[in-house]
Amino acid sequence: MGGASGQERAPRQVLRKGNGAEPESLDPHRTESVAAANIERDLFEGLVLETEDGELVPGAARSWESSADGLTHVFHMQPGARWSNGDPLTARDFEYSLRRSCDPATLNSYSSILFPILNAEAVVNGRLPPTALGVRALDDATLEIRLSGPTPYFLGLLTHSSAYPVHRASVERYGTKFARPGTLVSNGAYRLEEWVIQSHIRLVRNPQYRDDARTGIDEVWYYPIENDDAEVNRYRADELDLTEGVPFRQIRWLRANLPGELHIAPYLGTYYFGFNNTRPPFKDNLPLRLALSMAVDRDILTRRVMGTGEQPAYGFVPPVAHYTGQRPAWADWTQEQRNAEARRLYREAGYSQQHPLEVEVLYNTDQNHKRIAGALAAMWKQTLGVRTKLLNQEWKVFLENRKQRVITQVFRSGWIGDYNDAYTFSQLLHSKNGQNDPGYASPAYDALLDQAAATADPARRRALLEAAERQLLADQPLIPLYFYASKRLVKPWVGGYRANLMDHHHSKDLYILSH
């Protein structure tokens, strides 16, 4: 491996990645899946870039300065930066793109992440035009962004796809078709060469990229593989260099037989099952929601059903910097005590062994999700007598049904942090968030988040966010199950791979050793 020196690189630098579900799009202002974000991270570059250690470093901006009150940030663009078609990349591209990302006509379900920018919420909600957004190009090389309040995580937020630039001329010429092979112009280390639905997406090196000289991989293939067993089989056949995940039921074999290739690490995310809080039987039915949550034995789930390093979750915010995660008092009870209280609440909600709840649990097609949903159904059946029907759907259909809240009752979900701050989790359940699929609407919760967003004092802000999480757990609009661990197989000839809390990996930073 790696020749005599151990560092000799293969003559062809081609990386093949398993990538979970088929991405819904590659328009960075209209996507929300991890699968799409993985690819967009290779195609686009924001003003700020993150290292695998989480350090924020210059990206499309070579430097920036902030005002003393933290409300105004001025970014200076990298000199000579260009799009993949050779057009100059300027501050005006970011002015256009941030306005487009907030424009309600774009249909960006992630637009609320930009609410810290002055007037962003009013623009997103159609009360002000996109030109009123607190973003302006002072000239081609200088961009000013004004904020509505102190936002300690603002620079980290700029690494998100909603803050990526898009090529204005392409968007205006091709409309919604601009993000396809032949029409997508990007500013990152790669450009889109080929997209064959349900087969692969192929990226090739972008010679116009500002840091192309230090890009290691020439060509990246992303494969949509929703079946974890199939993904491992392709990995073992050397058709993949990295997997997106591993199946729970193979974890013992993988630990024993591929110990040097199995990478498990903490991952900033929470896995949960959401209730549809806008319709019966869960609307205005706290006893029922609590009963189903208490009846889940999270220790059995994480240790026996999964066994891949995840941590049981009773709160919604995973361990993040400068924050103490909240837990309901019953989290410290024994499972027997929780089950007894769950049965009492179940009766209070009007259900019994003779009159059981009949409920449908929706999950996207995946062996691991199926295994977890089956475990929950068994626990509910054993403790409460609930009759559960499991239903799986293809990713895009699944997402749409969750959003509409018409046919869903209980659905599986997960939230991956966009930056290392509690707010990236808290804001998801704000009543105005477009991705609040449980339909949770609590004036008390919203007020605490709004106060936190306007608070500069770190201790006060932290206290407000922690109070918000306590309110959320008291209302239990969802069932937190576990805090994520990233887990994937990586071939020994892949160099430069380092596990990190965000599980973000830029292909440009990897390389292939001769083998």
Side-chain angles (χ1 to χ4, degrees), residues 75-78 88-93 137-143:
F75 297 86
H76 304 281
M77 303 297 295
Q78 295 277 4
L89 175 71
T90 72
R92 301 188 198 284
D93 290 313
L138 303 181
D139 54 44
D140 282 353
T142 314
L143 182 77

Side-chain angles (χ1 to χ4, degrees), residues 344-362:
R344 187 192 69 77
L345 291 165
Y346 189 64
R347 290 192 299 272
E348 181 181 327
Y351 297 96
S352 65
Q353 292 286 349
Q354 293 72 36
H355 176 58
L357 171 70
E358 297 184 5
V359 68
E360 185 174 271
V361 172
L362 184 66

Side-chain angles (χ1 to χ4, degrees), residues 12 36 56 63 88 142 283 318 332-333 385 403 439 445 471 473:
R12 291 190 72 232
L56 298 177
S63 64
T142 314
K283 181 181 179 182
D332 296 324
W333 300 355
K403 286 183 190 303
Y445 184 79
Q471 179 68 53
L473 298 178

